[in-house]
């Protein structure tokens, strides 16, 4: 009787625990998306005070100092040698490549046009995940992902007048390197805490970012403003460290393809922040696109 009672008591725990884990993972990934949605407006603010190379380099240094301090305070051991290759991909894609390419693009591109990258990122990340980890999402998943990406792409291109700019090469390059970094980071977050993944990637880049910051600050003028400093602090601590911390934890919990589809909402959030913080104006197509994106997200989450 005790055995049956124990089994009966344990059964609900075994069933509900994974659901609770998925719910927490979805919430963490969603928080990451909110943090990322502020990246482009914050970068635009940062460019008011810093040159593009200075902004990217100082951003990396500040984020590495915060991450390194946390690693030291908690006495986290060095990552295993077998994880160094993956951390290098995360560092090259997320810490260096994406910030550098998007910052260069935002010198001549609006945040609305740059949101095209974010609109395509979920689909690209899912493709990278399938190639890297062997994941095989269902056909319904892919149809919803493509539909959501198409809706976001159509909206953002329409908002930017439908014209391609000279910054498109940087934007599409950023799309590829970021998807690779997300995929590798999500894989590593299954064997180590997500904050340690981005933390070690930032520390790995520190010698390069310190050298780049010293060189860039010597050649690019700096005009400190409230907007400029606020933008720098957010992209360094909010987007680069805290945002990626919860993002990688979320991907580890619910899977890379499913988490990546939550980013379909990111361009619309970016457009909202751009309107509030930068004074950009958009048409009434925004709520219609938002509804379409939310439907696509719901389908992918159930697939």
């Amino acid at each position: 009787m005790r055995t049956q009672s124990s089994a009966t008591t344990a059964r609900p725990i075994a069933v509900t625990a994974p659901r609770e884990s998925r719910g927490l993972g979805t919430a963490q990934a969603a928080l990451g998306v909110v943090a990322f949605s502020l990246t482009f407006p914050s970068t635009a603010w940062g460019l008011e005070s810093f040159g593009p190379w200075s902004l990217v380099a100082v951003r990396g240094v500040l984020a590495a100092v915060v991450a390194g301090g946390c690693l030291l305070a908690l006495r986290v051991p060095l990552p295993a040698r077998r994880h160094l290759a993956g951390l290098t991909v995360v560092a090259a894609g997320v810490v260096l490549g994406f910030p550098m390419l998007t910052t260069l693009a935002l010198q001549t591109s609006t945040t609305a046009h740059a949101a095209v990258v974010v609109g395509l990122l979920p689909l690209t990340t899912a493709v990278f995940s399938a190639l890297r980890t062997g994941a095989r999402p269902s056909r319904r998943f892919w149809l919803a992902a493509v539909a959501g990406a198409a809706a976001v792409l159509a909206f953002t291109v329409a908002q930017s007048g439908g014209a391609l700019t000279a910054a498109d090469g940087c934007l599409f390059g950023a799309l590829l390197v970021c998807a690779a970094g997300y995929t590798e980071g999500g894989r590593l977050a299954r064997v180590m805490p997500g904050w340690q993944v981005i933390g070690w990637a930032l520390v790995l880049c520190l010698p390069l970012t310190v050298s780049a910051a010293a060189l860039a600050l010597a050649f690019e003028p700096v005009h400190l403003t409230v907007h400029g400093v606020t933008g720098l602090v957010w992209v360094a601590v909010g987007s680069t460290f805290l945002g990626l911390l919860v993002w990688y934890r979320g991907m580890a919990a619910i899977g890379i393809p499913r988490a990546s589809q939550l980013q379909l909402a990111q361009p619309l959030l970016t457009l909202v922040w751009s309107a509030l913080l930068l004074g950009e104006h958009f048409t009434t197509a925004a709520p219609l696109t938002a509804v379409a994106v939310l439907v696509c997200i719901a389908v992918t989450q159930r697939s």
Side-chain angles (χ1 to χ4, degrees):
M1 292 297 292
R2 291 181 180 177
T3 303
Q4 291 177 350
S5 177
S6 299
T8 303
T9 303
R11 187 175 298 114
I13 298 176
V15 172
T16 57
R19 292 182 180 177
E20 293 175 358
S21 177
R22 288 196 298 269
L24 178 60
T26 300
Q28 290 172 332
L31 284 175
V33 170
V34 173
F36 299 154
S37 69
L38 281 161
T39 300
F40 286 168
S42 298
T43 300
W45 271 9
L47 288 172
E48 295 180 10
S49 296
F50 301 90
W53 297 100
S54 299
L55 180 62
V56 172
V58 175
R59 163 185 180 171
V61 171
L62 291 179
V65 169
V66 174
C70 293
L71 293 169
L72 285 174
L74 296 176
R75 298 181 180 180
V76 177
L78 293 173
R81 183 176 298 180
R82 67 180 182 276
H83 298 322
L84 291 180
L87 289 172
T88 300
V89 174
V90 175
V94 177
V95 178
L96 297 177
F98 187 79
M100 179 184 69
L101 291 171
T102 53
T103 300
L104 292 174
L106 285 172
Q107 286 190 288
T108 56
S109 175
T110 65
T111 56
H113 191 79
V116 172
V117 172
V118 181
L120 295 177
L121 188 56
L123 183 58
T124 310
T125 303
V127 172
F128 269 72
S129 173
L131 295 175
R132 179 67 177 88
T133 67
R136 294 293 181 269
S138 66
R139 180 177 300 180
R140 185 172 66 172
F141 178 97
W142 287 113
L143 289 175
V146 171
V152 172
L153 179 62
F155 176 71
T156 51
V157 169
Q159 289 297 308
S160 62
L164 298 178
T165 68
D168 284 328
C170 289
L171 293 174
F172 285 109
L175 168 69
L176 296 177
V177 297
C178 189
Y182 279 175
T183 300
E184 201 63 25
R187 187 186 66 82
L188 288 173
R190 295 178 179 177
V191 296
M192 68 172 70
W195 75 272
Q196 292 182 22
V197 174
I198 184 57
W200 287 121
L202 287 164
V203 171
L204 191 65
C205 293
L206 189 57
L208 181 59
T209 53
V210 168
S211 302
L215 184 62
L217 290 172
F219 287 94
E220 291 181 337
V222 176
H223 305 286
L224 295 181
T225 64
V226 174
H227 279 179
V229 174
T230 302
L232 170 63
V233 171
W234 178 258
V235 294
V237 180
S239 299
T240 304
F241 182 60
L242 297 178
L244 286 170
L245 184 158
V246 293
W247 174 245
Y248 282 141
R249 288 177 65 91
M251 282 200 295
I254 66 177
I256 298 172
R258 182 175 294 178
S260 70
Q261 300 315 303
L262 292 174
Q263 279 197 302
L264 288 171
Q266 185 174 327
L268 301 181
L269 290 174
T270 298
L271 294 175
V272 170
W273 294 124
S274 298
L276 294 176
L277 301 177
L278 304 178
E280 294 186 6
H281 300 283
F282 307 103
T283 66
T284 55
L288 298 178
T289 307
V291 172
V293 168
L294 290 177
V295 170
C296 292
I297 290 177
V299 173
T300 58
Q301 292 296 299
R302 293 181 177 275
S303 298

